[in-house]
Amino acid sequence: MTRRIAVANRKGGVGKSTLTMALATVLAEREGKRVLVVDLDTQCNVSQALIGGERWAKLRREERLISDYFFSILDNDSDRLKDRTQFVAENVGEVQCGDGMVALLPGSLQFEDVQQEYTLKQFKSAKTPGDAAKQVQGPIRQSLKRLDRKFDAVFYDCPPGLSLASLAALELADHVVVPFKPDFISEFGVERIAMLIEGVRHPDALQEIPMHERRYTCLANGVVSEIDDPRRDRDRFIVDTIAGDHPTFETLVPLDNDIRDAVDWMGQSLSLRDKFGSGLAPFLAIHDELWRERAALQEAA
């Protein structure tokens, strides 16, 4: 059974793409899994990290990006849809994954345009803007779901904000990882995305849902760890505050140059250790927490 993980936060700059790339790569290399990464963000950061700019440009010329995939679906281009796998780039990333594999549905600068164009078309038959959005979100959700049949796991790298594709991914996901930076604004950002994930409109309704029943886990990213750094206590206070109201990973991702540099495409064949350096340990720990938590929930069910 394919597991679907969305990485999302309505606030930008929190490390979603780095985390998506790292968790997908660790799962493929350590467990020999076939993993698909779906880049829903028009910034295309995870695509750049997994295939580099030159290969991305080549796929753009060949019309094999996520925008081309959805243009084919929404325009009912049966010829191009005979083989949906043409839009998925296999064996991506610089890490050699042994029996496993990372694949990518590459992001596109035009992906928001696709969604907006098709939404406008639906206004002709829809009674309200909400109905039009639903008529677009449904095909997007089903089209994303059709891609995962060959894979053990799918990671959705969601953009900031609320695109129809990110809403579809949040609905599809078995679990959502919500990375956040340890600053005071993040407390409100986490609350907003959590209410969206759980389908409630007020913080009080969110708090009525037991922590173990929620579909998301928060992850502190960029935490100062040096004892003599005055920001350390501030960061820990913010993390503890968020953890008091939301399910949160025990693992903290430190502020680390190796993690910052891991998204740079070097075009080399690397080991996990070479790719992530000192940043590998927290990503391995997050991987273990995420899959241990999912296994525990499945056993309880």
Side-chain angles (χ1 to χ4, degrees):
M1 180 179 179
T2 304
R3 293 182 176 182
R4 304 183 187 95
I5 306 294
V7 181
N9 191 325
R10 294 176 69 178
K11 187 174 185 292
V14 296
K16 295 186 294 292
S17 297
T18 302
L19 179 63
T20 302
M21 184 265 291
L23 290 181
T25 302
V26 168
L27 178 61
E29 197 274 349
R30 283 299 167 101
E31 300 191 25
K33 301 296 186 182
R34 294 175 59 86
V35 183
L36 172 65
V37 173
V38 178
D39 191 352
L40 301 173
D41 193 344
T42 55
Q43 297 178 84
C44 307
N45 289 331
V46 77
S47 295
Q48 297 290 317
L50 287 172
I51 60 176
E54 185 175 342
R55 187 175 177 187
W56 180 88
K58 180 176 183 292
L59 293 174
R60 178 178 177 271
R61 291 192 297 271
E62 295 173 353
E63 298 184 340
R64 293 173 58 194
L65 304 180
I66 191 171
S67 56
D68 304 304
Y69 175 57
F70 279 99
F71 265 130
S72 299
I73 292 167
L74 300 179
D75 289 341
N76 197 26
D77 187 342
S78 58
D79 289 337
R80 293 208 73 189
L81 291 174
K82 287 178 182 178
D83 180 15
R84 296 174 189 271
T85 61
Q86 68 178 295
F87 297 99
V88 175
E90 296 191 347
N91 296 305
V92 302
E94 296 176 297
V95 175
Q96 299 303 300
C97 294
D99 294 333
M101 181 191 72
V102 179
L104 172 71
L105 179 58
S108 168
L109 303 175
Q110 293 181 288
F111 191 35
E112 288 182 356
D113 299 339
V114 178
Q115 298 171 69
Q116 292 172 2
E117 179 179 326
Y118 195 66
T119 301
L120 289 174
K121 288 182 180 180
Q122 300 311 306
F123 274 114
K124 297 178 181 179
S125 58
K127 295 180 179 179
T128 67
D131 289 340
K134 288 180 181 178
Q135 291 178 23
V136 178
Q137 190 175 331
I140 289 176
R141 183 176 60 252
Q142 291 303 315
S143 300
L144 289 174
K145 192 174 181 180
R146 290 191 189 102
L147 287 171
D148 63 22
R149 294 171 183 170
K150 292 175 56 179
F151 299 95
D152 302 301
V154 179
F155 286 85
Y156 303 109
D157 185 25
C158 297
L162 291 178
S163 71
L164 294 174
S166 62
L167 290 173
L170 291 178
E171 186 176 335
L172 270 176
D174 302 305
H175 201 71
V176 183
V177 176
V178 181
F180 68 91
K181 295 289 187 180
D183 57 51
F184 287 100
I185 299 299
S186 287
E187 184 176 354
F188 302 100
V190 166
E191 186 176 77
R192 290 178 69 205
I193 189 70
M195 289 191 295
L196 180 65
I197 294 166
E198 299 299 339
V200 298
R201 296 188 176 183
H202 196 276
D204 290 345
L206 180 66
Q207 293 307 317
E208 290 177 1
I209 303 173
M211 292 258 197
H212 68 276
E213 293 182 6
R214 300 189 200 180
R215 288 200 306 122
Y216 67 95
T217 308
C218 301
L219 174 65
N221 186 25
V223 179
V224 172
S225 56
E226 289 79 5
I227 296 177
D228 58 349
D229 192 317
R231 297 173 296 173
R232 181 177 182 271
D233 290 340
R234 178 210 64 184
D235 286 4
R236 294 303 176 104
F237 174 78
I238 295 172
V239 172
D240 290 343
T241 299
I242 290 177
D245 294 323
H246 304 277
T248 304
F249 285 99
E250 296 176 8
T251 304
L252 308 179
V253 180
L255 192 63
D256 185 288
N257 288 337
D258 285 351
I259 293 175
R260 180 199 64 194
D261 295 340
V263 293
D264 292 339
W265 173 260
M266 304 300 292
Q268 303 174 3
S269 177
L270 303 171
S271 68
L272 274 178
R273 178 64 63 184
D274 292 335
K275 180 65 175 174
F276 296 105
S278 58
L280 178 59
F283 289 133
L284 292 176
I286 295 162
H287 165 83
D288 292 344
E289 278 195 67
L290 179 61
W291 257 255
R292 183 181 66 218
E293 181 179 338
R294 293 294 87 208
L297 289 176
Q298 285 183 339
E299 289 179 4

